[in-house]
mmCIF file of all heavy atoms in Angstrom:
data_model
loop_
_atom_site.group_PDB
_atom_site.id
_atom_site.type_symbol
_atom_site.label_atom_id
_atom_site.label_comp_id
_atom_site.label_asym_id
_atom_site.label_seq_id
_atom_site.Cartn_x
_atom_site.Cartn_y
_atom_site.Cartn_z
ATOM 1 N N ALA B 91 34.440 -3.246 -41.040
ATOM 2 C CA ALA B 91 35.746 -3.063 -41.691
ATOM 3 C C ALA B 91 35.695 -1.953 -42.740
ATOM 4 O O ALA B 91 36.558 -1.063 -42.745
ATOM 5 C CB ALA B 91 36.213 -4.378 -42.318
ATOM 6 N N VAL B 92 34.664 -1.971 -43.621
ATOM 7 C CA VAL B 92 34.627 -0.945 -44.668
ATOM 8 C C VAL B 92 34.354 0.435 -44.079
ATOM 9 O O VAL B 92 34.621 1.445 -44.734
ATOM 10 C CB VAL B 92 33.601 -1.234 -45.801
ATOM 11 C CG1 VAL B 92 33.973 -2.498 -46.553
ATOM 12 C CG2 VAL B 92 32.176 -1.302 -45.286
ATOM 13 N N ASN B 93 33.875 0.488 -42.848
ATOM 14 C CA ASN B 93 33.691 1.777 -42.189
ATOM 15 C C ASN B 93 34.861 2.129 -41.261
ATOM 16 O O ASN B 93 34.770 3.086 -40.478
ATOM 17 C CB ASN B 93 32.354 1.794 -41.432
ATOM 18 C CG ASN B 93 31.163 1.846 -42.393
ATOM 19 O OD1 ASN B 93 30.861 2.910 -42.945
ATOM 20 N ND2 ASN B 93 30.517 0.714 -42.633
ATOM 21 N N GLY B 94 35.937 1.344 -41.368
ATOM 22 C CA GLY B 94 37.176 1.665 -40.653
ATOM 23 C C GLY B 94 37.067 1.594 -39.145
ATOM 24 O O GLY B 94 37.732 2.339 -38.413
ATOM 25 N N MET B 95 36.210 0.689 -38.648
ATOM 26 C CA MET B 95 36.003 0.630 -37.197
ATOM 27 C C MET B 95 36.426 -0.708 -36.594
ATOM 28 O O MET B 95 36.064 -1.009 -35.450
ATOM 29 C CB MET B 95 34.513 0.876 -36.881
ATOM 30 C CG MET B 95 34.034 2.265 -37.226
ATOM 31 S SD MET B 95 32.310 2.467 -36.703
ATOM 32 C CE MET B 95 32.023 4.181 -37.153
ATOM 33 N N SER B 96 37.182 -1.485 -37.360
ATOM 34 C CA SER B 96 37.535 -2.824 -36.872
ATOM 35 C C SER B 96 38.329 -2.779 -35.571
ATOM 36 O O SER B 96 38.259 -3.703 -34.757
ATOM 37 C CB SER B 96 38.333 -3.583 -37.938
ATOM 38 O OG SER B 96 37.546 -3.760 -39.093
ATOM 39 N N ASP B 97 39.092 -1.702 -35.358
ATOM 40 C CA ASP B 97 39.882 -1.617 -34.123
ATOM 41 C C ASP B 97 39.033 -1.170 -32.930
ATOM 42 O O ASP B 97 39.466 -1.282 -31.782
ATOM 43 C CB ASP B 97 41.060 -0.653 -34.320
ATOM 44 C CG ASP B 97 40.574 0.744 -34.687
ATOM 45 O OD1 ASP B 97 39.502 0.861 -35.335
ATOM 46 O OD2 ASP B 97 41.238 1.740 -34.316
ATOM 47 N N LYS B 98 37.854 -0.671 -33.206
ATOM 48 C CA LYS B 98 36.989 -0.149 -32.140
ATOM 49 C C LYS B 98 35.876 -1.119 -31.752
ATOM 50 O O LYS B 98 35.238 -0.971 -30.709
ATOM 51 C CB LYS B 98 36.319 1.163 -32.619
ATOM 52 C CG LYS B 98 37.271 2.346 -32.688
ATOM 53 C CD LYS B 98 37.528 2.896 -31.298
ATOM 54 C CE LYS B 98 38.216 4.241 -31.344
ATOM 55 N NZ LYS B 98 38.473 4.733 -29.968
ATOM 56 N N ILE B 99 35.582 -2.051 -32.668
ATOM 57 C CA ILE B 99 34.440 -2.947 -32.441
ATOM 58 C C ILE B 99 34.908 -4.397 -32.498
ATOM 59 O O ILE B 99 35.515 -4.815 -33.478
ATOM 60 C CB ILE B 99 33.322 -2.704 -33.492
ATOM 61 C CG1 ILE B 99 32.807 -1.259 -33.406
ATOM 62 C CG2 ILE B 99 32.180 -3.709 -33.312
ATOM 63 C CD1 ILE B 99 31.778 -0.883 -34.464
ATOM 64 N N THR B 100 34.633 -5.144 -31.449
ATOM 65 C CA THR B 100 34.916 -6.583 -31.425
ATOM 66 C C THR B 100 33.596 -7.315 -31.602
ATOM 67 O O THR B 100 32.656 -7.090 -30.828
ATOM 68 C CB THR B 100 35.541 -6.985 -30.075
ATOM 69 O OG1 THR B 100 36.750 -6.233 -29.892
ATOM 70 C CG2 THR B 100 35.859 -8.479 -30.049
ATOM 71 N N LEU B 101 33.525 -8.154 -32.637
ATOM 72 C CA LEU B 101 32.279 -8.876 -32.912
ATOM 73 C C LEU B 101 32.464 -10.349 -32.591
ATOM 74 O O LEU B 101 33.434 -10.972 -33.032
ATOM 75 C CB LEU B 101 31.882 -8.681 -34.380
ATOM 76 C CG LEU B 101 31.509 -7.232 -34.741
ATOM 77 C CD1 LEU B 101 31.470 -7.044 -36.248
ATOM 78 C CD2 LEU B 101 30.167 -6.853 -34.114
ATOM 79 N N ILE B 102 31.546 -10.892 -31.832
ATOM 80 C CA ILE B 102 31.659 -12.283 -31.386
ATOM 81 C C ILE B 102 30.378 -13.019 -31.749
ATOM 82 O O ILE B 102 29.280 -12.595 -31.388
ATOM 83 C CB ILE B 102 31.865 -12.354 -29.858
ATOM 84 C CG1 ILE B 102 33.121 -11.566 -29.463
ATOM 85 C CG2 ILE B 102 31.982 -13.811 -29.400
ATOM 86 C CD1 ILE B 102 33.301 -11.423 -27.958
ATOM 87 N N GLN B 103 30.527 -14.128 -32.486
ATOM 88 C CA GLN B 103 29.346 -14.942 -32.784
ATOM 89 C C GLN B 103 29.168 -15.997 -31.708
ATOM 90 O O GLN B 103 30.097 -16.752 -31.404
ATOM 91 C CB GLN B 103 29.487 -15.624 -34.157
ATOM 92 C CG GLN B 103 28.192 -16.362 -34.534
ATOM 93 C CD GLN B 103 28.241 -17.039 -35.885
ATOM 94 O OE1 GLN B 103 29.256 -16.965 -36.580
ATOM 95 N NE2 GLN B 103 27.157 -17.690 -36.261
ATOM 96 N N GLY B 104 27.997 -16.060 -31.130
ATOM 97 C CA GLY B 104 27.751 -17.084 -30.127
ATOM 98 C C GLY B 104 26.649 -16.688 -29.182
ATOM 99 O O GLY B 104 26.048 -15.611 -29.313
ATOM 100 N N LYS B 105 26.373 -17.573 -28.252
ATOM 101 C CA LYS B 105 25.369 -17.290 -27.217
ATOM 102 C C LYS B 105 26.024 -16.475 -26.119
ATOM 103 O O LYS B 105 27.065 -16.883 -25.574
ATOM 104 C CB LYS B 105 24.851 -18.601 -26.612
ATOM 105 C CG LYS B 105 23.699 -19.221 -27.376
ATOM 106 C CD LYS B 105 23.031 -20.324 -26.559
ATOM 107 C CE LYS B 105 22.140 -19.743 -25.470
ATOM 108 N NZ LYS B 105 20.970 -20.604 -25.181
#
Side-chain angles (χ1 to χ4, degrees):
Chain B
V92 296
N93 289 283
M95 294 184 178
S96 298
D97 59 329
K98 287 283 192 181
I99 299 176
T100 301
L101 294 166
I102 302 172
Q103 186 179 0
K105 274 193 77 148

